[in-house]
Amino acid sequence: PVFIPGPSVPWAVKKLQGYFGKALHNCTVVAKNNKFDILILAEKFGIYPAYPLDIEDLSRYLDSKMKQDLGRLAKMFKLPNKGDTKQFKGQRWQDMNHAEMKKYCLRDIEDEGALLKILLPVVDNPEFELSLMRHTLNLFLKPKLRLDYKLAEQLANDMESEVSKILEGVK
C-alpha cells in the first residue's frame, strides 16, 4: 500500500492513467464503497473504470443482511482494528495530523486487500456476479432517469388537494 497525500492525488491519478489507460481500463480498481470512491473518480477526474470491484458488494454477496462497514468486516475476519476516524472529523487536509491519516489509510488499504482475498473466492459465478455488480454501480454513476422535482412536487400537491376534495365529499 502507498499513501498519497491529498494535494498530490491529481498527480498520482495522472500517473495511474499513464500506466493503466485514461479510464484505468487496463486494471481492476478495488475500493470498499464504490458508490463513494468511484463517484469521486468520476466527478473529479472524469474516470469511469471499466473494472471496479467493491469490497462492500462482495460482502453483500456473502450476507446481504449484515452490516457492511469495514470495521465490522475486519473484526469478523479477525483482521487488525480499522482505527477511528473521529480524530479527523471536521478537519481539512491542512489541519489534520498527516502521520495519523497515513496510518489510518494504510490500515484501510491492507484490510481491503485482505478482504478481497477472503471474499472474492466466495462468489459462485464471478463472470456473472461481478458484471452485475459493475452494472449496478453504473446505474448509480450514470443514471438514465432524471427526476423533475418541481413537477413531482406539483403532482403531489395536486393529488393531496384532490384527495382532500374527495374526503370532504365523503363527509
Side-chain angles (χ1 to χ4, degrees):
V2 175
F3 177 75
I4 307 294
S8 299
V9 169
W11 170 85
V13 168
K14 287 272 186 229
K15 204 80 159 138
L16 289 170
Q17 286 177 307
Y19 291 130
F20 300 112
K22 191 170 182 170
L24 304 180
H25 53 276
N26 292 317
C27 70
T28 300
V29 176
V30 179
K32 162 56 183 69
N33 177 1
N34 281 348
K35 287 182 186 80
F36 178 78
D37 296 323
I38 304 298
L39 180 64
I40 289 177
L41 275 179
E43 293 291 318
K44 184 134 177 83
F45 301 102
I47 298 173
Y48 294 86
Y51 305 105
L53 195 51
D54 193 341
I55 300 301
E56 197 166 296
D57 285 343
L58 294 174
S59 67
R60 276 194 201 102
Y61 185 83
L62 181 67
D63 183 351
S64 63
K65 294 179 183 176
M66 72 179 191
K67 298 229 183 229
Q68 310 298 328
D69 61 278
L70 188 58
R72 190 176 311 262
L73 290 171
K75 187 175 182 179
M76 178 179 175
F77 292 104
K78 298 177 178 32
L79 301 175
N81 187 358
K82 172 182 158 34
D84 186 16
T85 58
K86 290 179 186 158
Q87 62 184 314
F88 309 117
K89 188 173 182 173
Q91 295 182 1
R92 297 193 169 162
W93 174 254
Q94 58 271 19
D95 303 326
M96 66 179 57
N97 180 328
H98 297 157
E100 286 299 312
M101 175 56 83
K102 178 179 181 177
K103 181 178 163 186
Y104 174 82
C105 289
L106 290 175
R107 173 80 266 134
D108 258 20
I109 293 167
E110 289 171 7
D111 283 353
E112 288 174 24
L115 287 166
L116 176 65
K117 290 175 185 173
I118 293 166
L119 295 171
L120 187 57
V122 173
V123 177
D124 295 327
N125 185 351
E127 185 177 338
F128 175 77
E129 293 295 339
L130 299 181
S131 178
L132 183 59
M133 290 175 193
R134 184 172 55 249
H135 174 72
T136 303
L137 175 64
N138 282 333
L139 290 174
F140 177 80
L141 295 175
K142 304 172 186 174
K144 303 280 187 234
L145 176 68
R146 300 276 184 221
L147 182 60
D148 184 334
Y149 290 99
K150 287 181 183 177
L151 180 58
E153 191 173 314
Q154 182 61 49
L155 287 171
N157 290 337
D158 291 349
M159 288 171 61
E160 192 174 312
S161 177
E162 192 64 30
V163 167
S164 294
K165 288 178 190 172
I166 291 169
L167 290 176
E168 279 298 316
V170 172
K171 286 182 185 176

